[in-house]
Amino acid sequence: MATRAEIVVALDIGTHRTAVLVAERVAGRPRIVGVGTAPSRGLRRGAVVNIDATVQSISNAVREAERMADCDIRAVLVSLGGSHVRSLDSVGMTPVRKREVGADDLERVHDAARAVALPEDREVIHILPQDYIVDGQAGIRDPQGMTGVRLEVRAHVLTASKGAAQNIVRCCNQAGLQVSQVVAAPVASARAVLTAEDRELGVVVIDIGGGTTALVAVRDNAIRRVSVLGLGGGHITSDIAAGLRVSSAEAERLKLRHGQALASAVRPDERVEVNGMSGQEPAMLSRQILAEIIEPRAEEILSLVRERLEETGLIGSVPAGVVLTGGTAALPGLVELAKTVFRLPVRFGEPHHIAGVGDVVSGPMWATTIGLLELAGEEAENFELLDSMPAGVVSRFRNRMGDWLREFF
Ligand SMILES: Nc1ncnc2c1ncn2[C@@H]1O[C@H](COP(=O)(O)OP(=O)(O)OP(=O)(O)O)[C@@H](O)[C@H]1O
Ligand SMILES: [Mg+2]
């Protein structure tokens, strides 16, 4: 059994499902030794609406992962999703204390960038530096050790609803877990699916989950925008249930087994069996009709993302195109549909492979959890951190998180 200082645990509390990965450090790299999942019942559009149900889902997923890893999970890195997660540009400036930029100067300049005016009910969850400016010289990625008198940072600041963030921490605590880090779910997903070339060139990651769709625009190795819509694959399922007058469970089964986002890609003679339509015996349905229900909703979601992207002015500067991930990215035809909506190269975003019990952990629904592990796994201190961090609300470890995400890419 691994001692606790040697493991790191990632917990993704999504609208559709709650997922846990336990990783051990082997030769400095994470190796997955435990996996647990449970359906999520207490979230809507990425935010907790029922504490007890969420605690139950967390406990179920954690227990399964503990059994597999044969360990006691006490602390987790947890994702924070939901349409309340937003981002804005900020700048910070500080005099350099000893004429050579040191860690304390970086901390002060990050604090200055963090000091954005926010409504009472919102808080900063990450500071993502874009570049630093030393004595007017811009475009510096790492200013430490440079000589100068004035340090500035151009940063992107992620903010979230205070209540939503605290609810996630509260649910973890009630499930008997300490929270060592809170990471915005889209940031973790982007970490898991991008290549170094994507990040350099410019790319948009779209994570389409069950209740949310998040977009993360990246260029010159920095995150430029994060935005989350309260729409996801669950809405496709609801449309199928309403359109065919079947239960949600049957609608979900039809979507997973026979779904297709492009109605024109389905042969007109294909038929699928539908159980209990209007309470009747199983019936045969044209698969094209199913696709005709799915396509408009999928197109709506992608079009709304496109609108958000156009608002950021970044749509013209993402030569690496669009990477689709999140569970709904597994829907056949979605990549093709996205190509027509975005008029950009589009590809499917499979998360990076992490050694260990890899077979269970594959597919786009693992992007956030794998990303959490990757973010934690590279820094030895995160492994030790798990034993030392007290439980608390997000603001308690805000400083740490800002610095920590400096190393995002
Ligand atoms: N093969 C598939 N075809 C179509 N949809 C799929 C497929 N596999 C999973 N999904 C859908 O993916 C969604 C779940 O994705 P994911 O696990 O990424 O969501 P989540 O993280 O729980 O939710 P969110 O991130 O929105 O809070 C569900 O709506 C599910 O129906
Ligand atoms: Mg998700």
Side-chain angles (χ1 to χ4, degrees):
M1 176 175 151
T3 63
R4 285 201 298 127
E6 292 173 322
I7 64 165
V8 65
V9 183
L11 169 63
D12 174 29
I13 307 171
T15 312
H16 186 74
R17 57 170 216 149
T18 299
V20 176
L21 289 178
V22 182
E24 226 175 33
R25 261 173 85 78
V26 177
R29 301 190 67 83
R31 186 174 155 274
I32 297 168
V33 293
V35 183
T37 61
S40 296
R41 306 255 180 252
L43 288 94
R44 231 176 99 76
R45 299 178 194 263
V48 175
V49 292
N50 182 326
I51 299 255
D52 289 346
T54 305
V55 170
Q56 196 57 53
S57 303
I58 296 170
S59 299
N60 291 345
V62 163
R63 238 179 285 136
E64 190 179 312
E66 281 178 332
R67 272 198 301 274
M68 186 165 170
D70 187 22
C71 72
D72 241 352
I73 296 175
R74 306 250 179 105
V76 293
L77 282 98
V78 68
S79 66
L80 177 64
S83 48
H84 58 91
V85 174
R86 278 175 230 148
S87 73
L88 65 145
D89 288 320
S90 177
V91 289
M93 197 279 285
T94 183
V96 177
R97 287 261 164 93
K98 296 175 193 141
R99 295 195 58 83
E100 185 177 305
V101 177
D104 55 328
D105 298 309
L106 275 184
E107 204 166 299
R108 277 200 320 281
V109 84
H110 290 165
D111 281 345
R114 181 181 290 124
V116 284
L118 289 178
E120 255 298 282
D121 59 344
R122 299 192 61 78
E123 68 178 316
V124 171
I125 55 166
H126 302 307
I127 307 284
L128 304 166
Q130 320 275 284
D131 73 334
Y132 296 87
I133 307 169
V134 179
D135 290 353
Q137 170 73 52
I140 299 167
R141 279 297 290 172
D142 183 4
Q144 287 205 74
M146 291 185 72
T147 304
V149 293
R150 178 188 159 102
L151 174 67
E152 291 164 85
V153 63
R154 284 190 286 228
H156 205 55
V157 177
L158 257 73
T159 68
S161 147
K162 245 184 215 169
Q166 285 172 2
N167 282 336
I168 283 288
V169 174
R170 183 167 301 137
C171 288
C172 291
N173 292 163
Q174 286 192 17
L177 304 168
Q178 292 181 9
V179 172
S180 56
Q181 297 276 8
V182 175
V183 178
V187 169
S189 298
R191 180 68 180 76
V193 301
L194 295 182
T195 64
E197 195 182 22
D198 293 329
R199 300 182 313 232
E200 182 73 42
L201 280 176
V203 71
V204 182
V205 178
I206 304 177
D207 177 321
I208 315 181
T212 65
T213 296
L215 91 88
V216 181
V218 175
R219 211 186 58 199
D220 297 330
N221 286 312
I223 289 183
R224 306 283 155 177
R225 181 71 65 188
V226 176
S227 184
V228 186
L229 300 167
L231 279 177
H235 296 84
I236 297 177
T237 302
S238 303
D239 288 353
I240 297 169
L244 300 180
R245 279 182 246 129
V246 295
S247 67
S248 312
E250 175 64 0
E252 180 76 7
R253 186 192 73 83
L254 285 168
K255 181 179 79 171
L256 298 187
R257 178 119 10 129
H258 306 291
Q260 168 55 260
L262 265 187
S264 60
V266 179
R267 285 201 325 272
D269 59 343
E270 281 187 69
R271 296 276 181 277
V272 300
E273 191 174 277
V274 181
N275 295 310
M277 213 194 289
S278 308
Q280 294 159 11
E281 293 298 296
M284 296 310 285
L285 172 84
S286 154
R287 185 169 170 233
Q288 215 162 36
I289 290 179
L290 178 65
E292 278 164 5
I293 297 173
I294 295 172
E295 182 171 326
R297 179 66 90 169
E299 192 176 358
E300 180 200 16
I301 294 172
L302 295 169
S303 300
L304 288 169
V305 173
R306 190 194 151 93
E307 275 173 31
R308 292 260 172 122
L309 196 57
E310 280 169 346
E311 286 166 17
T312 69
L314 287 163
I315 195 155
S317 50
V318 285
V322 172
V323 178
L324 294 183
T325 195
T328 301
L331 183 64
L334 198 70
V335 166
E336 292 310 310
L337 183 65
K339 282 180 186 162
T340 66
V341 171
F342 290 98
R343 297 180 198 284
L344 286 169
V346 180
R347 69 160 207 266
F348 175 72
E350 176 75 26
H352 305 142
H353 178 76
I354 296 196
V357 289
D359 284 356
V360 196
V361 189
S362 75
M365 70 284 282
W366 287 101
T368 309
T369 334
I370 295 270
L372 288 172
L373 268 194
E374 284 189 279
L375 285 165
E378 283 154 11
E379 302 292 327
E381 68 189 67
N382 286 306
F383 282 79
E384 285 146 12
L385 189 79
L386 294 181
D387 278 339
S388 57
M389 287 296 290
V393 296
V394 179
S395 54
R396 262 225 180 121
F397 35 75
R398 217 150 56 178
N399 273 341
R400 280 204 63 91
M401 280 201 311
D403 289 348
W404 183 60
L405 287 180
R406 245 190 88 228
E407 308 298 332
F408 175 53
F409 286 137

